[in-house]
Amino acid sequence: MLLTITTTQSSSFPSVSQYSIFRACAGDGNRRGKSISGSARQCSSVTVRKYDQSVHSYFSAQESEIRPRCIVRPSSTADVSNVVSHLVKANYEYGLGSIKFAIRSGGHASFVRSANEPNGVTIDLRKLNSIHVTDDQNQVIVGAGASWGQVYRKLDPLGLAIPGGRHSQVGVGGLTLGGGLSHFSGHVGLACDNVDEYEVVLATGAIVRIKKEGSTHSDLYLALRGSGNNFGVVTEFTFRAFRQGHLWGGTLIHGPETNEQHLNTFFNFASNPEPDPCASLIHGFGMSAERGSGFVNGIVYTKPTHEPVVIQPFLNLNPVYMNSLRELSLTELTQQQDAFNENGLCQVAISTTYYLSETLLTRTYELWLASQESVKNLAGLVWSMTLQTIFPAIVAKSGFLQDAIPAYTAERGSIIVAQLTGTWKDAKDSPAAEKAALKLISDIEDAVEDEKMQTGYLYLNYAHPGQDVFGDDSINNGQRKEFLQGVSKKYDGDGVFQRCVIGGLKLF
């Protein structure tokens, strides 16, 4: 199998020959065109068409607009090791941080440089998409470049599942390394809580396998949960599997006039001291410049139970604009949800968290309404706020959350993850949309602070660059961040994954 190098052929990028693995990637200025020695005979050039297909396949327009100096598509973990070794060697030669690289799994994160690197190297892991079920069907070994749609299509016929993404195109690598909320969080915690083993390429190029128990790298195992790309390139995950058949779920949309009933119904759902672990709810309110406003509920019950009792209060609300709830497979469910996520639009995503409060739910809705004023005229705008509940029972099942929120106690109740997502058509409107999104979350956080309902936790997969996802020092005493920084210094002493992989959320 070939490790593929894809490059542009424009005058601003030197061509890639089959004898030079990173000739096009060695940097700019005086470095441009300098060869980096390595496994040249294992490489092949591919066409500009394939380069364009790759950059245009990202979820957000901002990432698709980036033009890396070249795209490397490894076919094996050994390839990844080779790539990382050469990039690190070149960085030492020219100065650490001079040659940037990005790591792509699904490419679903929306912000610039999250998985694509301008004038640098993008390591596209999508060829590492193998999915292997062990003979006893207790584990599933998944390549980091697989999509969750591929995983579910493999597991559904076997009556198996692992906790993962709620949209088929989301990558296994990104979601899992960010923590991984899923429809199954009530049963098994987050996706990262269900990883028994990681395969990782470190900054040295070394390939290590890290098990949950009995590993010589137990500190790295703990650090990889919910911390993104800060420690190495994860190439494979071994997940614990569980039996899973059809579910009952879909989308329920009501008119904006139901706002008071909706907020009250959601509060009652989120404050339940004995939540049904089968019930998964993404509660949202959205405004579309083309379709108007409404309340959108993504509802899933992980058994094929028609209209379960826990969901009845939402079903009783009127008027109903849309009801797609039905029995279906996990594959069918994720494909249905894909319809709400159009590729290629300009996007922003940012979030915060707070302890459940009826006052804060109302304030969140009011602030979201007010935020529309500055963006309502943007072409093709969709402006949505979603609320998800992390029940005390979910924290109890999640070793990761217990470590990430050391100040948490069950007496504080449920945590609400509030995420703003916005999409629009014209790149010239991006500054206005970004400004409005940042202001909205800042205003919500001010209200949370007034109520003294801060959690000190941010969910990495919904975070915006610049947010501190590794623990508010004033609340959690800096415990998690200090631990993660220590692990980073141990396994990546020179800070390759801090200084050369600058996309994502960094520790330093």
Side-chain angles (χ1 to χ4, degrees):
M1 298 181 72
L2 295 177
L3 179 151
T4 305
I5 307 292
T6 314
T7 183
T8 62
Q9 300 298 315
S10 67
S11 59
S12 61
F13 290 84
S15 63
V16 172
S17 78
Q18 62 179 344
Y19 305 109
S20 178
I21 187 170
F22 291 122
R23 189 173 182 83
C25 316
D28 51 22
N30 294 329
R31 301 193 307 273
R32 179 169 292 165
K34 182 175 176 64
S35 174
I36 301 174
S37 62
S39 56
R41 293 179 180 82
Q42 298 176 18
C43 306
S44 65
S45 295
V46 295
T47 64
V48 173
R49 176 180 58 82
K50 288 190 176 182
Y51 177 96
D52 289 340
Q53 286 175 345
S54 179
V55 296
H56 292 151
S57 64
Y58 285 87
F59 183 50
S60 75
Q62 292 98 316
E63 280 283 82
S64 290
E65 289 167 359
I66 289 176
R67 293 297 181 268
R69 191 165 294 274
C70 73
I71 300 165
V72 186
R73 301 191 68 191
S75 298
S76 67
T77 300
D79 281 346
V80 176
S81 172
N82 190 24
V83 170
V84 170
S85 295
H86 283 296
L87 283 169
V88 172
K89 179 181 178 181
N91 265 286
Y92 285 138
E93 181 178 351
Y94 297 115
L96 195 63
S98 60
I99 301 173
K100 306 292 194 301
F101 59 100
I103 305 160
R104 175 183 182 173
S105 174
H108 199 263
S110 62
F111 60 86
V112 172
R113 302 177 93 165
S114 56
N116 205 7
E117 181 57 43
N119 283 320
V121 181
T122 293
I123 303 174
D124 184 345
L125 299 177
R126 288 180 296 163
K127 284 188 176 181
L128 303 183
N129 61 358
S130 62
I131 304 164
H132 173 71
V133 180
T134 59
D135 291 341
D136 60 10
Q137 296 193 336
N138 289 331
Q139 292 178 316
V140 182
I141 303 166
V142 185
S147 71
W148 287 106
Q150 291 172 318
V151 172
Y152 300 146
R153 287 193 292 273
K154 173 79 172 184
L155 299 185
D156 270 348
L158 303 175
L160 296 174
I162 57 178
R166 290 170 286 205
H167 300 276
S168 67
Q169 63 193 27
V170 172
V172 169
L175 179 120
T176 306
L177 291 175
L181 290 169
S182 80
H183 296 309
F184 303 105
S185 293
H187 287 292
V188 295
L190 275 61
C192 67
D193 293 306
N194 293 268
V195 177
D196 285 337
E197 186 174 12
Y198 297 91
E199 182 179 72
V200 189
V201 176
L202 301 177
T204 61
I207 300 170
V208 297
R209 297 195 70 89
I210 307 167
K211 294 185 178 181
K212 181 179 181 181
E213 298 177 357
S215 171
T216 57
H217 307 286
S218 58
D219 53 353
L220 184 54
Y221 175 90
L222 294 174
L224 285 168
R225 302 174 308 163
S227 300
N229 59 15
N230 278 289
F231 302 101
V233 182
V234 177
T235 54
E236 189 176 87
F237 303 85
T238 300
F239 292 93
R240 292 190 299 281
F242 52 85
R243 306 303 305 181
Q244 179 63 46
H246 275 197
L247 325 93
W248 184 83
T251 303
L252 186 63
I253 302 178
H254 296 91
E257 61 270 36
T258 62
N259 63 310
E260 290 186 9
Q261 302 100 300
H262 252 106
L263 292 172
N264 182 64
T265 301
F266 176 74
F267 176 78
N268 291 337
F269 173 87
S271 59
N272 187 344
E274 297 182 359
D276 187 333
C278 295
S280 170
L281 171 68
I282 300 178
H283 176 67
F285 21 96
M287 181 273 284
S288 166
E290 299 173 355
R291 297 186 293 274
S293 299
F295 281 80
V296 182
N297 293 289
I299 295 172
V300 173
Y301 198 76
T302 58
K303 295 180 180 178
T305 303
H306 182 74
E307 298 187 355
V309 172
V310 67
I311 301 301
Q312 280 294 336
F314 292 95
L315 295 171
N316 293 336
L317 297 174
N318 284 293
V320 177
Y321 286 2
M322 173 183 173
N323 183 344
S324 68
L325 296 166
R326 62 185 178 91
E327 182 181 328
L328 71 180
S329 69
L330 191 51
T331 298
E332 292 170 325
L333 177 67
T334 54
Q335 290 172 340
Q336 183 183 108
Q337 293 304 305
D338 288 345
F340 294 93
N341 285 264
E342 182 179 350
N343 278 25
L345 296 174
C346 299
Q347 305 209 20
V348 64
I350 184 171
S351 69
T352 190
T353 66
Y354 50 81
Y355 288 109
L356 178 64
S357 156
E358 198 162 12
T359 300
L360 284 176
L361 291 180
T362 300
R363 190 70 182 130
T364 298
Y365 177 70
E366 292 171 346
L367 289 168
W368 170 78
L369 282 176
S371 74
Q372 298 176 29
E373 185 61 30
S374 62
V375 293
K376 63 183 180 181
N377 294 321
L378 304 190
L381 179 75
V382 176
W383 198 249
S384 302
M385 177 67 73
T386 59
L387 306 175
Q388 296 181 59
T389 309
I390 300 178
F391 291 100
I394 293 177
V395 179
K397 291 181 172 69
S398 173
F400 161 65
L401 287 176
Q402 292 165 33
D403 289 343
I405 323 172
Y408 178 82
T409 61
E411 289 71 26
R412 294 302 306 265
S414 295
I415 292 172
I416 300 301
V417 181
Q419 181 193 23
L420 183 282
T421 57
T423 62
W424 58 97
K425 292 181 178 179
D426 197 328
K428 70 177 177 57
D429 294 326
S430 295
E434 288 272 347
K435 181 179 179 180
L438 289 166
K439 183 179 186 304
L440 171 57
I441 293 300
S442 177
D443 289 344
I444 293 173
E445 289 179 339
D446 286 345
V448 171
E449 186 173 0
D450 289 343
E451 296 283 328
K452 295 180 170 45
M453 300 296 268
Q454 310 100 306
T455 71
Y457 171 66
L458 282 174
Y459 179 52
L460 185 145
N461 287 331
Y462 296 166
H464 187 275
Q467 288 189 293
D468 182 7
V469 301
F470 300 112
D472 186 321
D473 291 355
S474 64
I475 297 174
N476 292 311
N477 300 317
Q479 296 176 38
R480 183 175 181 233
K481 182 180 287 186
E482 183 178 351
F483 167 72
L484 295 175
Q485 289 177 337
V487 174
S488 173
K489 290 175 182 177
K490 177 180 176 180
Y491 291 95
D492 182 16
D494 291 331
V496 169
F497 285 92
Q498 304 303 310
R499 300 172 63 182
C500 303
V501 185
I502 61 174
L505 290 305
K506 301 286 97 175
L507 294 171
F508 295 93

